[in-house]
Amino acid sequence: MNKTQKYNLTRIIISLVVFLALLVFEKVGLFDTLSGLVHFFLYFIPYLFIGYDILWRALRNITRLDFFDENFLMTIATIAAFALGLFGQGEYLEALAIMIFYQLGEFFQDYAVDKSRKSISNLLSLSPDYATVVVGDQYKTVSPDEVIVGETILIKPGEKVPLDGIVLDGESYIDVVALTGESRPVRVKVGDTIISGSINGDSALLVQVQKKYEDSTVAKILELVENASSKKASVEQFITRFAKYYTPIVTVSAFLLAIISQFFLGLSWHDSIKRACNFLIVSCPCALVISVPLSFFVSIGYASKKGILIKGAQYIELAANIKTFVFDKTGTITKGEFKVQHIETFDNGYTKQEVLEIAAHAEMHSNHPIAHSIQSEYGQTLDSSRISDVKEISGRGVVLKYLDKKTCVGNKAFMIEQNIDFHTANLQERSDGTTVYVAVEHTCIGSILISDSIKDGVDTSLADLKKLGVEKLVMLSGDSNEVANTIAHRVAIDEVRAQLLPHQKVSELEKLIAERDKNAPNKKIAFVGDGINDAPVLMRSDVGFAMGSLGSDAAIEASDIIIMDDDLKKLNLVLLIARKTMHIVKTNIAFAISVKLVILTLSALGLASMWIAVFGDVGVSVLCILNAMRIGRS
């Protein structure tokens, strides 16, 4: 607990002790001989001690003409109770009890928020304090936002990684638990990417900075965390609008109740005001105004502790109704670690090494994983002077001049488009990988088989989604039908849409959305991708999940929920968190409204005491808050 919470808890405990003492003294008749004014101050002083902040907020809001809130309702009801006591009607005990238990409810709320905030603060604490820049033989400590891309920084053991970069020298374990929820440290070595916000373990590292601080992973995450609470779910927006109109309505209703009770029902002014006070107390919308946003806040905090960054409450509400998951293949279902498995020549004077060499040079400017696998297999320095007139056709291939000869490297469809002679080539596509063809001067000289492997545990994770009620699993891929169908069959994907260019993936998702809108508009569609080539699809889906994309600007910008490690099992956890959150939110709303309606009716009829009114407000609020805190348990 922070200092404010400790202070408030101390106030509550002292006030409760005083309240119990006053209750005992009242029952044994010790106050019978006291004057009315002394009796009044015995209760009013502890009332001011426990409720001065409520009274001050109510007075401040009145001066601003914005006073229809729970502070106003509590103040009017309790002050009216004390006023009744001054005239010998004895409502002091109830008035003090109302303020004490109201503060107790506020304490529970603050405690629950603080507990969730600690999970989020683990992310906020990722922000680095400094970076050590290497300048020749000197080391200069500067603010991370002063470091320029390309500079080398030193990260000592135990220090936070201030910026994204590539390891130039050293080998160490990196603690990424605050980023991904993964407790096991990750080993990094020369050539590996290191992510800002993680903590260096046992050895010093020299790292070349790849991104400015404002573009780094930690900066993007911190920005998202700070903005997450501003994106409200529709049920939150409803409660906010509800409270805005509800509070002035019940205030006016309480005033009318007092008038009607006295002038039309013949009650005394004391009984009329008492009914109105009870009505005001129980009508306070605290249970709804507090517990609904708190439920979403607790949910976001718990998810962040598990390495899941949810950008706002609205995405929890949407995720609870996901019935279709659409997956990108490469980097999501598969590891995205392509390797050359086989090279074939077509008896035209070229060796396998020459086929590989031509393909590696043709793909030297491409960032596609397949291009990287070819370059890695070639393993030699690429000579850019050998190539010219390079033209890349996204999703199909590259046409260029290699040593002044027209060269084409790409898939089968691309070769046919380029009128390549296939009469000597084996056109049988293999289903266990992607075949890249290499052609020189309109003749196919060879092919390269590249395959990817399925991530561990994908089949189990997708099966668990089905157990949770997900109705359809769809995979979109730019690969051939054979490759895509082979992968889909192994992990039990329901539908496959293959040989898609990036813009065609959006079209296929649009078809699924149109079909959904026609048959079941409340069932949401989620897309899961790596967040780089799939940004348009991530943005178009109801809920976009970025998988395994730490450090990817596209993932952070385009997605709604970021799985901060490469674990598909977190999709199941998101569904469980979202569904439990919405169940608790709906339960709290139904419970609070039903109890309040009953007690409001009893108060209007004069059948409810002020103690029952206290339960109708504070008791219901505490129960709803405790219910909201169950998110993340079991």
Side-chain angles (χ1 to χ4, degrees), residues 203-448:
S203 301
L205 296 171
L206 286 177
V207 174
Q208 184 182 58
V209 176
Q210 298 293 302
K211 293 181 180 179
K212 295 186 295 184
Y213 176 74
E214 58 262 33
D215 298 326
S216 66
T217 300
V218 66
K220 294 290 187 180
I221 289 173
L222 295 178
E223 181 183 351
L224 291 175
V225 171
E226 291 167 358
N227 293 334
S229 61
S230 64
K231 297 180 179 179
K232 293 186 176 182
S234 61
V235 65
E236 276 189 287
Q237 295 170 352
F238 166 74
I239 293 299
T240 302
R241 294 193 300 269
F242 173 80
K244 180 180 179 181
Y245 296 104
Y246 169 83
T247 306
I249 288 174
V250 297
T251 303
V252 173
S253 299
F255 177 74
L256 293 175
L257 178 63
I259 294 175
I260 291 171
S261 299
Q262 184 173 6
F263 291 101
F264 295 94
L265 300 181
L267 297 180
S268 66
W269 64 270
H270 165 265
D271 290 336
S272 299
I273 294 176
K274 186 176 180 180
R275 283 193 187 188
C277 287
N278 291 350
F279 191 88
L280 278 177
I281 293 169
V282 74
S283 65
C284 184
C286 301
L288 297 177
V289 174
I290 293 173
S291 69
V292 172
L294 177 63
S295 299
F296 289 107
F297 190 79
V298 171
S299 180
I300 291 173
Y302 176 72
S304 68
K305 184 178 180 181
K306 296 297 182 180
I308 302 167
L309 183 55
I310 302 174
K311 289 188 178 181
Q314 66 193 73
Y315 305 116
I316 296 175
E317 190 174 24
L318 292 171
N321 295 313
I322 293 175
K323 293 299 179 181
T324 299
F325 270 99
V326 183
F327 296 90
D328 173 50
K329 181 180 74 68
T330 305
T332 304
I333 300 295
T334 63
K335 293 180 179 179
E337 298 174 356
F338 289 91
K339 292 184 178 180
V340 173
Q341 304 294 337
H342 178 70
I343 301 174
E344 185 174 355
T345 60
F346 298 142
D347 192 24
N348 45 28
Y350 286 88
T351 65
K352 292 182 179 180
Q353 183 61 25
E354 288 173 327
V355 170
L356 181 61
E357 181 180 287
I358 294 171
H361 279 82
E363 299 279 13
M364 68 182 297
H365 297 306
S366 174
N367 290 319
H368 195 281
I370 289 179
H372 288 311
S373 69
I374 294 174
Q375 295 163 19
S376 176
E377 183 69 17
Y378 179 59
Q380 299 181 35
T381 303
L382 298 172
D383 184 0
S384 60
S385 66
R386 298 185 187 185
I387 64 174
S388 60
D389 300 335
V390 180
K391 183 180 179 182
E392 183 173 354
I393 291 81
S394 178
R396 293 186 178 273
V398 182
V399 59
L400 70 156
K401 284 187 177 181
Y402 179 77
L403 297 177
D404 292 328
K405 293 182 179 180
K406 182 178 179 181
T407 303
C408 297
V409 177
N411 59 27
K412 178 180 174 182
F414 181 65
M415 292 292 141
I416 293 173
E417 286 179 2
Q418 298 297 318
N419 299 315
I420 301 302
D421 181 9
F422 270 109
H423 71 278
T424 58
N426 177 12
L427 296 183
Q428 184 64 40
E429 295 272 357
R430 292 177 58 168
S431 62
D432 57 345
T434 298
T435 301
V436 175
Y437 292 95
V438 181
V440 176
E441 298 292 0
H442 295 287
T443 299
C444 189
I445 65 169
S447 65
I448 303 172

Side-chain angles (χ1 to χ4, degrees), residues 493-512:
I493 292 284
D494 299 314
E495 293 183 16
V496 178
R497 317 250 174 125
Q499 295 180 308
L500 300 174
L501 297 176
H503 70 277
Q504 292 175 321
K505 291 184 179 181
V506 178
S507 298
E508 291 300 323
L509 182 66
E510 293 278 6
K511 293 177 184 177
L512 290 169

Side-chain angles (χ1 to χ4, degrees), residues 402-591:
Y402 179 77
L403 297 177
D404 292 328
K405 293 182 179 180
K406 182 178 179 181
T407 303
C408 297
V409 177
N411 59 27
K412 178 180 174 182
F414 181 65
M415 292 292 141
I416 293 173
E417 286 179 2
Q418 298 297 318
N419 299 315
I420 301 302
D421 181 9
F422 270 109
H423 71 278
T424 58
N426 177 12
L427 296 183
Q428 184 64 40
E429 295 272 357
R430 292 177 58 168
S431 62
D432 57 345
T434 298
T435 301
V436 175
Y437 292 95
V438 181
V440 176
E441 298 292 0
H442 295 287
T443 299
C444 189
I445 65 169
S447 65
I448 303 172
L449 177 66
I450 301 163
S451 65
D452 192 6
S453 56
I454 297 174
K455 292 180 181 178
D456 298 334
V458 169
D459 52 348
T460 303
S461 299
L462 299 190
D464 288 342
L465 286 176
K466 284 296 190 73
K467 291 177 183 178
L468 288 175
V470 174
E471 298 171 356
K472 186 187 295 185
L473 302 176
V474 182
M475 187 174 77
L476 305 181
S477 175
D479 245 327
S480 66
N481 283 306
E482 291 82 3
V483 173
N485 280 301
T486 298
I487 298 294
H489 178 73
R490 290 170 60 184
V491 297
I493 292 284
D494 299 314
E495 293 183 16
V496 178
R497 317 250 174 125
Q499 295 180 308
L500 300 174
L501 297 176
H503 70 277
Q504 292 175 321
K505 291 184 179 181
V506 178
S507 298
E508 291 300 323
L509 182 66
E510 293 278 6
K511 293 177 184 177
L512 290 169
I513 292 174
E515 181 183 346
R516 183 278 312 273
D517 291 342
K518 182 178 179 181
N519 299 317
N522 292 326
K523 296 181 179 180
K524 305 304 177 184
I525 297 177
F527 180 79
V528 187
D530 63 13
I532 300 173
N533 297 322
D534 299 315
V537 204
L538 282 165
M539 296 181 71
R540 181 62 187 91
S541 60
D542 295 319
V543 185
F545 288 82
M547 292 292 299
S549 300
L550 277 176
S552 167
D553 292 337
I556 293 175
E557 295 296 336
S559 60
D560 305 313
I561 299 175
I562 302 172
I563 308 297
M564 299 175 68
D565 60 8
D566 203 2
D567 190 354
L568 277 173
K569 291 192 292 292
K570 297 287 179 69
L571 297 177
N572 300 281
L573 183 56
V574 170
L575 291 190
L576 291 172
I577 291 172
R579 292 176 182 178
K580 187 169 186 177
T581 301
M582 295 311 301
H583 174 73
I584 286 176
V585 165
K586 292 174 182 177
T587 300
N588 281 349
I589 291 174
F591 173 70

